[in-house]
Amino acid sequence: MKLAQHKDLLGLRDMSREEIQLILDTAIPMKDIIKRDIKKVPTLRGKAMITVFYEPSTRTRTSFEIAGKYLSADTVNLPVALSSVQKGESLRDTMKTIEVMGFDVMVIRHSMSGAPHYVARNTNMRVINAGDGANEHPTQALLDFFTIREKKGTLEGLTVTIVGDILHSRVARSNIYGLSKFGCEIRLVGPPTLMAPEIEKLGVKVYYDLEKAIEGADVINVLRIQKERQHVGLFPSLDEYANLYMIKNDKLKKAKEDVLILHPGPMNRGVEISSEIADSTQALINEQVTNGVAVRMAALFLMMGGTRDEIAY
Amino acid sequence: MKLLIKNGRVIDPKNGIDQQLDIFVNNGLIKKIGENINLENVDRVIDASGKIVCPGFIDIHVHLRDPGYQYKEEIASGSRAAAAGGFTTICCMPNTKPVIDNASVAAYVRQMAAKTAVVNVWPIGAITKNQGGEEITEMADLIAAGCIAVSDDGKPVEKAELMRNALEYARMFHLPVLSHCEDRSLAADGQMHEGYFSTIYGFKGIPTAAEEVMVSRDIILAGLTGGHVHICHISSKGTVDLIRKAKAQGINVTCEVTPHHLTLTDEAVGSYDTNTKVNPPLRSAEHIKALLEGIKDGTIDCIATDHAPHELESKDCEYNYASFGISGLETAIPLIMSLVGKHFDLNKMVSLFTTGPASVMGLNKGSLEIGGAADITIIDPKKSKTVDPGSFYSKGKNTPYAGRKLKGWPYMTIVNGKVKAEDGRIIEE
């Protein structure tokens, strides 16, 4: 099976369980490459990749760039804030300009849902969604799955609780789409004002009480709370949010003893997660970042036509 | 010019006619309606066998964008889109630049229409100056200049007291006050219907409550003042229920529904095709069901397209950046024909485009009258055609129906006794 049959990687909603598994399996040898002294393989030599981020990012953008470089692709970043976008250049013209320079892959992050789909429809380049609005962030979910699977041995049948601002979260959506393909019990918890309408129809359970939501959970995925949501009246204060939903030691009593704590970063310590938890061995936040590089190497490699058996060493 | 329309199935809901008849038109007027009319010396005999011959269709909610936004549409192009789409009369909304909020802008629209339009064009004036929501317009002056209703369209009057005054003042002229009901605080930044699919596609939703809250207010104010409030483009079950109840109480409220709110659900947004972006948004299937019920039981008075043409750049962009609106004049008839037989009959369909809108606007049109203006729409119920925005007369190619095969298209549009469109093509003089 080849991932290359799809031109783009836009989300997990339409990705099959087998395709997800293929990426996770392929990421295992990729992770080995990252751990080597000489971290470069010639696999994507002669291929060109550009990252175009319309929203700030530390992890995802750097992760894509280094993933491309480890595979010997030529990688370029378009610093959107310093680009002609600031002169009002449209997404279509920006994309076209990039395309005619010969890039094979465009990795795009955008604050608006569907922007990568719009680009994908209008270009021959392969497009990877690095997060669009409140829609999807597929490679983040894939690295979450890789991290969970590495620790638990499987994704099958796990209970995963996602905590926080579900309404605005693309990480939550991609996690839900992917995990539900592996028979996980998915629980969402947060205030009703941050819960997405009719989300129960996706087969998830909605909670407002944190302790109930994490009772017996194998994994807790903590979402970043964006401070600007307070200003539009979705919750009264960061203090009240922290009182109700911050992941800290005394809230974890009812979770499984070996519960894993994930966070996509960047963290607001003392708001959605306490420092003691963030820095504990249960928390896999740094592990997630390493795995992010491996998963993105796998995705790039497979999209460029590689198969699991032909990873170059 | 003498026209003889032969052998068509004539449907004229106002006069209770539904049978095969001939119509003789002379000098712009309907001269004779009857069986087997045979006359010498007519300029043209139109064979309407197998076709449906109706009073000219009326669309009371159209954006012609002229003056000010002629790059989106002009009176000339919009009126041609109307004729090609089977309409003989259209009413245009005042959200132009400048706004139709005084007699001179209204007069401009009337004059441009007289010079360049191929159908009857009636302007709608604003409720408040510059659609600003602060001071009511000189309504008597607007009427004198040809306006037949008032509306602040997409900038609904926020202040309840001002809406009360507008309804009260308009009452003395029997002037309908058209209300685009939207509580903008509830709808803020929304891109699509709030529900399952807004969750799936990751958009901020526009709850039906944004519409219903203002519908409730306007119904209460219509009850208070006795003024006529007409609710534009209703989209939700809650709105249908509110209007049904208000009508039962004798409140002077009417409403319209668009073809797109009857034929597309919010699921269509999943393609991120900006042509599905419209306000109010495409709703879920349960709301379509309620709207169809509202048509059946007479709660809904008419169909209006809310024809909202846009230039390519307004739609060829990220979904959030795209303008709201669908170019609707040239697909309305086949879309509603697709519902005929399933949800209502042909007579009902014709009344929704004729007597319904005429009665809302107080227009002396919408029926076939001997001695009356010969505005006639002829439909070919058997014709199948694929929607091709490239062939639209409207400058707005923004339709979510591109590529869709539809059945039941306008065959001929006759305005004041002249054939203005035939088989979807405009006949220029």
Side-chain angles (χ1 to χ4, degrees), chain B residues 49-61:
Chain B
S49 50
K51 315 279 195 296
I52 301 150
V53 181
C54 322
F57 279 18
I58 301 165
D59 187 350
I60 64 170
H61 192 148

Side-chain angles (χ1 to χ4, degrees), chain B residues 364-382:
Chain B
N364 186 24
K365 285 189 174 294
S367 61
L368 300 171
E369 306 293 341
I370 306 295
D375 289 351
I376 297 168
T377 296
I378 306 177
I379 297 170
D380 183 349
K382 292 188 202 79

Side-chain angles (χ1 to χ4, degrees), chain A residues 13 54 91-92 110-115 117-118 121-122 132-135 173 177 196-199 201-202, chain B residues 193-205 270-274 284 286 315-321:
Chain A
R13 186 157 57 96
Y54 284 79
L91 179 56
R92 176 186 268 273
H110 203 292
S111 60
M112 294 174 184
S113 299
H117 307 67
Y118 169 76
R121 241 196 338 263
N122 290 296
D132 64 323
N135 181 40
R173 285 176 181 70
Y177 298 139
E198 301 184 38
I199 198 160
K201 286 187 185 165
L202 289 173
Chain B
H193 172 60
E194 178 180 299
Y196 174 70
F197 287 109
S198 66
T199 288
I200 298 291
Y201 304 149
F203 282 124
K204 183 162 190 301
S271 57
Y272 296 104
D273 174 2
T274 54
S284 58
E286 57 170 326
K315 288 289 192 180
D316 187 13
C317 55
E318 294 91 324
Y319 204 89
N320 296 53
Y321 287 151

Side-chain angles (χ1 to χ4, degrees), chain B residues 56 102 199 236 300 304 307:
Chain B
N102 64 70
T199 288
S236 87
I300 294 174
H307 175 72

Side-chain angles (χ1 to χ4, degrees), chain B residues 203-221:
Chain B
F203 282 124
K204 183 162 190 301
I206 301 173
T208 56
E211 175 174 305
E212 292 150 3
V213 162
M214 198 173 274
V215 170
S216 309
R217 181 200 75 173
D218 286 353
I219 285 172
I220 290 166
L221 294 176

Side-chain angles (χ1 to χ4, degrees), chain B residues 98-331:
Chain B
V99 171
I100 308 177
D101 64 355
N102 64 70
S104 56
V105 185
Y108 162 84
V109 173
R110 294 281 288 160
Q111 282 161 17
M112 277 306 275
K115 228 192 296 179
T116 67
V118 296
V119 301
N120 306 303
V121 176
W122 296 94
I124 296 162
I127 299 172
T128 65
K129 290 172 187 161
N130 201 29
Q131 295 175 284
E134 297 292 341
E135 288 175 72
I136 59 172
T137 51
E138 296 169 332
M139 294 184 191
D141 228 22
L142 285 168
I143 294 166
C147 290
I148 56 163
V150 286
S151 177
D152 271 2
D153 190 58
K155 290 186 183 167
V157 177
E158 279 185 17
K159 291 181 184 163
E161 194 214 7
L162 203 141
M163 190 62 175
R164 176 215 169 132
N165 291 343
L167 280 162
E168 219 149 36
Y169 192 78
R171 191 177 53 141
M172 73 170 147
F173 311 114
H174 302 286
L175 192 66
V177 177
L178 280 42
S179 183
H180 163 121
C181 286
E182 179 185 358
D183 180 311
R184 297 180 116 195
S185 68
L186 281 168
D189 302 326
Q191 303 295 320
M192 63 176 292
H193 172 60
E194 178 180 299
Y196 174 70
F197 287 109
S198 66
T199 288
I200 298 291
Y201 304 149
F203 282 124
K204 183 162 190 301
I206 301 173
T208 56
E211 175 174 305
E212 292 150 3
V213 162
M214 198 173 274
V215 170
S216 309
R217 181 200 75 173
D218 286 353
I219 285 172
I220 290 166
L221 294 176
L224 174 69
T225 59
H228 172 191
V229 69
H230 172 79
I231 313 294
C232 298
H233 43 54
I234 70 166
S235 72
S236 87
K237 178 178 187 304
T239 297
V240 176
D241 291 342
L242 286 163
I243 294 171
R244 182 182 290 125
K245 198 172 145 208
K247 283 189 165 186
Q249 291 168 347
I251 292 171
N252 195 358
V253 55
T254 54
C255 67
E256 72 195 27
V257 65
T258 70
H260 49 268
H261 286 115
L262 292 171
T263 54
L264 271 183
T265 67
D266 54 343
E267 194 174 357
V269 178
S271 57
Y272 296 104
D273 174 2
T274 54
N275 291 319
T276 61
K277 184 170 170 179
V278 64
N279 191 15
L282 302 173
R283 302 285 186 192
S284 58
E286 57 170 326
H287 295 290
I288 292 187
K289 191 165 166 254
L291 293 168
L292 289 166
E293 281 299 319
I295 285 179
K296 268 181 255 184
D297 71 11
T299 302
I300 294 174
D301 298 84
C302 64
I303 300 215
T305 63
D306 190 11
H307 175 72
H310 286 294
E311 79 286 14
L312 179 66
E313 290 77 11
S314 276
K315 288 289 192 180
D316 187 13
C317 55
E318 294 91 324
Y319 204 89
N320 296 53
Y321 287 151
S323 299
F324 287 98
I326 288 173
S327 180
L329 279 168
E330 289 167 82
T331 51

